[in-house]
Amino acid sequence: MIDPYYLQQFTIGISLGMVYALMAIGFTLIFGVLNVVNFAHGEVYTIGAFAGIMAIAAFGPPFLVIVFIVLAVGALSGFSLERVAFRPFRRFSDEASLKSRAMREATLMSSLAMSIIAREAMELLFGSEFQTIDISYLINKPISLGPVTIVNGDIIIFLVSVLMLGGLQWLLKYSAIGLSIRAVSNNPLGAKYVGINTDRTIVLTFVIGSMMGALAGILVGLYYGAVFPSMGFIPGVKAFVAMVMGGLSSIPGAVIAALVLGVAESLSTTFMSSVWADMVAYLFLIVTLVFFPQGLFGARRERV
Amino acid sequence: MSKDLITSAVLKIAILAVLFAALPALLAYLGQGYLYQVVMLALIFSLLAVSLQLVTGIAGLLHLGHAAFYGVGAYIAALAGADYGIGFTLGLPLAGLGAAAIAFVVALPTMRLVSIYFAVATLGIGQMIFLVLQNWVEVTKGPNGVMLFTGIDLFGYTVDSELGTYFVVATIVCASIWVIHRLSHSYYGNALRSLREDDQCADAMGIDTVRLKIEAFMISSFFAGIAGALWAYTTGYISPMDFDFSESILILAMVVVGGLGSIPGAVIGALLLILLPEALRGVGDIRNIIVGFVLFFSILFLPKGLFGEVPALNFIRRQFGSAWQDNPDKQKVGWK
């Protein structure tokens, strides 16, 4: 019989992993389509959390309404992020400049710059400390299941994430939008030649990815009751780790890696002080990069 | 004697005169401790930006954890001074060597990675070092930071005035930047540039790319460690928050704004990003937001930086003078 304590840590790990998965998918989608890393993804997560608590403070809507508000704000921030930080650097669309390192590094820097601006602006507006949230909205009411005590947030996060992931899979597999996203990520130039509007597809990818990121933000914000301007950095790094472990362009890989990461992190607090738990993710990152450079589930890539 | 050689001598003397005569005279005249801090901060960040330039601009490895090595240097110097009574004379090289040693250990596995993978690996390593600085309370004293009460001692002679500290910092920063300058404008620097342009091609031509990358990373971390020791001794108090990810980004922004690959550009970028927020201090605590905007607009409008690599190289070539002139008497040296 497994000690209930481990079972409990395991459930917490799963819901943590689900949140990382939501974020990692945003990264993976954008990386797949543009071949660049979006460093401002962590700030989309923060923006989502802030949008949610502002909605709560303003008119206290029911939970589902908050979810939709956050999704809308996420979509808007993804759209403007693409406009400001990515489109100006996509002036040329021949194959050489699509694959060039200079262009990748320019968008890397510009998204980094946008993330600094967004974070500092939020710090100026709201202050750097924790925001106060209406207690009744927090999703950490305990539920006992036999010997294991979990909170309702675990279930909500799990359900919402599964719904979003399922929806995304459906979108990618069976809709015209999903088809164009897959085409652009497979071969941008080829997609353009067969008449797909690549700019529109890229915007849509940002919108979808940022919706997921923003939703992860509000879920975590309500789960821990901690919303502050720099909250997005660490989950952003971890989602990135999950994406690298999953093999960069594989969505199921990223989800599995995110779950592994979440469970490992939550179980590691049993053996060491929780301040060192972040170390687990960084160790995973280095070990993956050095020993499994293609990721655990990815297709072979030329060079890493 | 060509005209360029004279300008070169004039330029050198002008820079040294400003650094070692005009600026200290002005500071002593104004006599404010705060201004000394700002000027020394600008000098230290110039050294940090130049040392990052060697790795990111010249060898082309995007490094997102430079502040961690700066922190290692600062902690080694501060702990050696506060806990073991090792003074500045020994603590300074110790800080540089310690940072370089950690860089070597870190570089061995990660130097085979390229482009974004390398950037992410350095991000992870920088965060790991930051976590150790913050949480290894027994040694680093954790988030409380380390107080360093001893002043700078140079071979038994103690420097305790602000002016004296300024001279020590300025001398060490100048000497370090000069070393990196000569290193990057030499055959060795050209080999590093070949890594940036195409490392597979460089490999095929017989350049040991992995070794060169490790060396460049270690040299850069050495000087970051030196800068950290200077920071610890000028402020007298360090805490892990001085070395977090946003500092790495600040240093990177200096390099990008100044111009990737250009040593004078890195200095210009550092001066701009330290002095501009200080000048605008009255507006509020908006230092980082300015950094963000300067970074964004410089990528958008000045992708080559304020003083880009090509003008910088041409400029420095002229400074080297006769080596590049057609001189029938002497054999040619340097780049062709």
Side-chain angles (χ1 to χ4, degrees), chain A residues 31 37 39 84-86 88-89 91 101 104-124 233-234 237 240-241 244 248 275-280 282-283 285-286 289-290 293 301 303-304, chain B residues 56 60 62 64 109-110 112-125 127-129 131-133 135-137 195-200 213 245-246 249 252 256 260 285-286 288-289 291-293 295-296 299-300 303:
Chain A
F31 189 90
V37 176
F39 260 92
V84 175
F86 287 83
F89 301 95
R91 281 168 287 205
R101 205 184 58 193
R104 267 192 233 177
E105 285 182 1
T107 52
L108 191 88
M109 298 284 194
S110 66
S111 63
L112 209 54
M114 275 301 131
S115 88
I116 297 173
I117 293 170
R119 184 170 61 237
E120 296 299 326
M122 281 190 276
E123 227 159 81
L124 278 182
F233 175 63
I234 298 229
V237 172
F240 191 90
V241 175
V244 172
L248 283 170
V275 291
W276 293 104
D278 288 346
M279 203 66 143
V280 176
Y282 301 130
L283 277 178
L285 173 69
I286 303 294
L289 280 175
V290 172
R301 302 181 71 82
R303 289 180 79 206
V304 285
Chain B
T56 297
L62 186 59
L64 296 177
T110 53
R112 287 170 197 282
L113 304 169
V114 295
S115 72
I116 184 66
Y117 302 88
F118 178 79
V120 176
T122 50
L123 193 160
I125 286 159
Q127 284 303 109
M128 280 162 96
I129 294 177
L131 273 182
V132 170
L133 292 183
N135 295 325
W136 194 15
V137 179
L195 297 185
R196 178 189 65 190
E197 295 305 324
D198 191 334
D199 61 341
Q200 284 174 320
K213 282 179 188 172
F245 182 66
S246 65
I249 297 307
L252 186 67
V256 172
L260 280 168
D285 191 17
I286 51 171
N288 287 327
I289 221 165
V291 171
F293 274 114
L295 183 62
F296 181 72
I299 303 161
L300 195 59

Side-chain angles (χ1 to χ4, degrees), chain A residues 50-287:
Chain A
F50 270 93
I53 62 160
M54 274 161 69
I56 291 173
F59 48 93
F63 187 76
L64 259 179
V65 178
I66 297 174
V67 168
F68 281 109
I69 290 174
V70 167
L71 285 178
V73 170
L76 189 69
S77 59
F79 176 79
S80 29
L81 178 68
E82 200 271 344
R83 263 296 143 84
V84 175
F86 287 83
R87 178 159 301 184
F89 301 95
R90 218 170 47 240
R91 281 168 287 205
F92 310 104
S93 54
D94 55 302
E95 192 154 14
S97 47
L98 280 178
K99 287 188 173 157
S100 83
R101 205 184 58 193
M103 182 226 140
R104 267 192 233 177
E105 285 182 1
T107 52
L108 191 88
M109 298 284 194
S110 66
S111 63
L112 209 54
M114 275 301 131
S115 88
I116 297 173
I117 293 170
R119 184 170 61 237
E120 296 299 326
M122 281 190 276
E123 227 159 81
L124 278 182
L125 285 177
F126 301 104
S128 57
E129 62 278 354
F130 286 8
Q131 303 294 310
T132 44
I133 307 172
D134 189 348
I135 300 284
S136 59
Y137 277 98
L138 294 184
I139 46 172
N140 53 8
K141 295 163 192 70
I143 299 171
S144 299
L145 292 174
V148 186
T149 309
I150 58 173
V151 297
N152 62 351
D154 289 322
I155 299 171
I156 292 175
I157 288 179
F158 188 80
L159 285 180
V160 172
S161 312
V162 167
L163 257 172
M164 291 298 286
L165 296 184
L168 180 75
Q169 278 302 338
W170 178 84
L171 191 79
L172 286 178
K173 282 257 151 64
Y174 299 107
S175 72
I177 298 168
L179 191 65
S180 59
I181 289 177
R182 283 189 292 149
V184 172
S185 82
N186 199 311
N187 184 347
L189 213 55
K192 208 177 174 121
Y193 287 159
V194 297
I196 291 171
N197 187 344
T198 43
D199 273 346
R200 195 171 142 262
T201 310
I202 289 168
V203 172
L204 274 173
T205 316
F206 269 87
V207 166
I208 295 170
S210 304
M211 279 161 77
M212 302 235 162
L215 187 66
I218 188 63
L219 288 178
V220 170
L222 293 183
Y223 186 66
Y224 291 113
V227 173
F228 51 101
S230 55
M231 68 187 279
F233 175 63
I234 298 229
V237 172
K238 285 175 186 160
F240 191 90
V241 175
M243 165 175 123
V244 172
M245 282 171 70
L248 283 170
S249 46
S250 144
I251 287 179
V255 173
I256 296 171
L259 288 177
V260 169
L261 202 61
V263 171
E265 209 170 282
S266 127
L267 286 183
S268 71
T269 53
T270 318
F271 309 108
M272 49 185 164
S273 155
S274 62
V275 291
W276 293 104
D278 288 346
M279 203 66 143
V280 176
Y282 301 130
L283 277 178
F284 270 34
L285 173 69
I286 303 294
V287 168

